[in-house]
């Protein structure tokens, strides 16, 4: 995996953004999200860069005089959010150009960095049919290098099973927060029960489905033998225009079913085409979907 997950020029832009939650998690540690309950603590916690809409009364003019940049003081009455990233590392995620896993890791890096800059807690779980790697409870921008190093180490593994993975010991920390699942959602065992289980653990869930151009619009013809990348099962087929039309319709129907499932559950879903430039996904697609602002 390429260790240069994000363009360094983006980092200052990401620092001014935040991952959104439908409900703020209750917390007692330092955080950069204002509690719905007005806090009374005036104990200083940290600074962050000024963003439009911030309380001008919290600007630190001494810091401005030293650096020429606007910074906002943050206090202990602001509460942290737990942000958990679940990354599908099953073999099917190795498909495409760029590979789906590569794009998922880059998106996780962006979302994780945004959260660390807001002093949210960040945990990452990589899975196939179980949790194969995890990094838990990072907090603070100084943990970004650790996050990036972990993400860069991920690679595709075995057969995917989201529900079995989520029921692995310690796969869900149990505190209210935001959970984002980055996957193609091509699980033979389905995804519905797994997502319902995750919601039951008091998570605001967002589903990020990544599919490659080759999966959505394959260019095949003639006699072929197709092999499942995870199970190894093969099938002989004769590719015709009619078959390709039916395949494309099936893919669209599957994507629509995932979106409808998410809507019924009151959660967010985002369709990501892996060939879409990363900058466009982060700063346009995710913003338009209400994942970040």
């Amino acid at each position: 995996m390429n260790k240069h997950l994000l363009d360094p020029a983006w980092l200052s832009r990401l620092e001014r953004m935040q991952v959104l939650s439908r409900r703020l998690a209750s917390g007692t540690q330092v955080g950069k999200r204002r509690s719905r309950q007005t806090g009374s603590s005036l104990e200083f916690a940290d600074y962050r860069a000024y963003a439009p809409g911030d309380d001008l009364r919290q600007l630190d003019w001494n810091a401005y005089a030293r650096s020429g940049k606007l910074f906002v003081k943050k206090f202990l009455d602001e509460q942290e959010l737990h942000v958990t990233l679940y990354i599908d590392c099953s073999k099917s995620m190795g498909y495409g150009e760029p590979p789906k896993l590569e794009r998922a890791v880059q998106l996780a890096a962006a979302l994780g960095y945004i959260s660390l800059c807001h002093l949210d807690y960040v945990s990452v779980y990589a899975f196939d049919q179980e949790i194969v790697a995890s990094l838990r409870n990072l907090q603070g921008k100084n943990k970004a290098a650790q996050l990036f190093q972990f993400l860069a180490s991920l690679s595709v593994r075995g057969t995917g099973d989201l529900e079995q993975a989520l029921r692995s010991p310690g796969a869900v920390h149990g505190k209210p927060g935001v959970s984002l699942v980055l996957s193609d959602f091509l699980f033979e065992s389905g995804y519905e029960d797994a997502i319902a289980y995750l919601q039951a653990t008091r998570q605001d869930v967002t589903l990020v489905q990544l599919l490659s151009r080759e999966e959505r619009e394959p260019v095949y013809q003639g006699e072929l033998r197709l092999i499942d990348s995870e199970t190894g099962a093969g099938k002989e087929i004769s590719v015709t225009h009619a078959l390709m039309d039916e395949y494309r319709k099936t893919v669209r129907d599957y994507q629509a079913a995932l979106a409808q499932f998410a809507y019924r559950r009151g959660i967010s879903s985002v369709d990501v085409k892996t060939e879409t430039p990363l900058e466009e996904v982060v700063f346009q697609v995710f913003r338009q979907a209400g994942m970040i602002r």
Side-chain angles (χ1 to χ4, degrees):
M1 186 73 66
N2 186 348
K3 293 186 182 301
H4 300 290
L5 301 179
L6 299 174
D7 185 337
W10 297 358
L11 299 184
S12 61
R13 296 172 65 186
L14 293 173
E15 289 171 13
R16 296 192 294 270
M17 307 177 82
Q18 69 180 60
V19 173
L20 299 182
S21 170
R22 289 180 180 83
R23 62 178 183 272
L24 286 179
S26 62
T28 58
Q29 302 301 316
V30 178
K32 291 190 176 180
R33 295 173 188 273
R34 179 68 63 183
S35 167
R36 287 197 177 100
Q37 297 179 344
T38 302
S40 58
S41 170
L42 294 180
E43 184 180 347
F44 172 72
D46 197 8
Y47 293 102
R48 71 168 170 80
Y50 168 79
D54 285 336
D55 188 347
L56 297 177
R57 293 172 297 180
Q58 300 302 334
L59 287 174
D60 189 306
W61 295 108
N62 291 327
Y64 176 75
R66 292 192 301 270
S67 66
K69 297 180 180 180
L70 294 174
F71 291 94
V72 178
K73 290 181 179 180
K74 307 309 291 179
F75 299 92
L76 289 182
D77 62 347
E78 296 182 316
Q79 299 179 354
E80 86 284 353
L81 187 71
H82 287 259
V83 177
T84 306
L85 302 164
Y86 292 96
I87 303 175
D88 182 358
C89 289
S90 59
K91 285 185 179 178
S92 67
M93 291 292 287
Y95 193 72
E97 186 55 47
K100 291 178 283 186
L101 178 59
E102 179 179 317
R103 186 60 90 225
V105 161
Q106 291 170 323
L107 296 175
L111 294 166
Y113 185 75
I114 290 170
S115 300
L116 290 177
C117 289
H118 278 264
L119 287 180
D120 297 328
Y121 284 100
V122 175
S123 296
V124 186
Y125 296 87
F127 70 93
D128 50 20
Q129 58 188 333
E130 61 184 2
I131 301 300
V132 297
S134 64
L135 186 65
R136 307 181 189 186
N137 294 327
L138 299 182
Q139 190 183 40
K141 190 167 69 171
N142 63 331
K143 296 297 179 65
Q146 185 179 353
L147 171 68
F148 294 161
Q149 183 178 18
F150 172 82
L151 291 172
S153 72
L154 299 181
S155 59
V156 293
R157 308 285 289 236
T159 302
D161 188 323
L162 180 58
E163 182 177 12
Q164 186 173 322
L166 289 180
R167 292 185 183 274
S168 301
V172 179
H173 55 64
K175 294 182 179 180
V178 171
S179 285
L180 303 106
V181 185
L182 298 97
S183 171
D184 55 18
F185 291 93
L186 301 178
F187 303 113
E188 189 172 358
S189 56
Y191 54 80
E192 294 87 347
D193 290 344
I195 300 305
Y197 171 72
L198 194 57
Q199 274 192 290
T201 65
R202 301 180 294 168
Q203 299 298 302
D204 284 343
V205 180
T206 295
L207 311 180
V208 180
Q209 185 181 37
L210 301 102
L211 292 179
S212 67
R213 187 195 304 272
E214 295 93 327
E215 289 170 315
R216 300 186 323 272
E217 299 287 343
V219 183
Y220 296 141
Q221 57 182 325
E223 304 295 324
L224 297 174
R225 177 175 174 78
L226 301 182
I227 299 176
D228 188 300
S229 62
E230 295 190 10
T231 67
K235 186 176 182 63
E236 306 283 347
I237 65 169
S238 179
V239 179
T240 64
H241 289 300
L243 181 62
M244 284 292 93
D245 289 342
E246 182 63 24
Y247 171 84
R248 286 187 285 267
K249 180 180 183 301
T250 300
V251 172
R252 291 194 299 269
D253 288 347
Y254 190 79
Q255 290 179 287
L258 180 66
Q260 290 167 6
F261 168 80
Y263 178 78
R264 291 195 304 270
R265 299 289 308 187
I267 62 181
S268 300
S269 67
V270 183
D271 172 31
V272 172
K273 300 176 176 63
T274 57
E275 72 276 8
T276 303
L278 182 63
E279 183 175 14
E280 181 179 335
V281 177
V282 174
F283 296 108
Q284 295 183 36
V285 175
F286 280 2
R287 266 184 161 172
Q288 292 169 2
M291 290 173 58
I292 58 178
R293 71 179 179 193

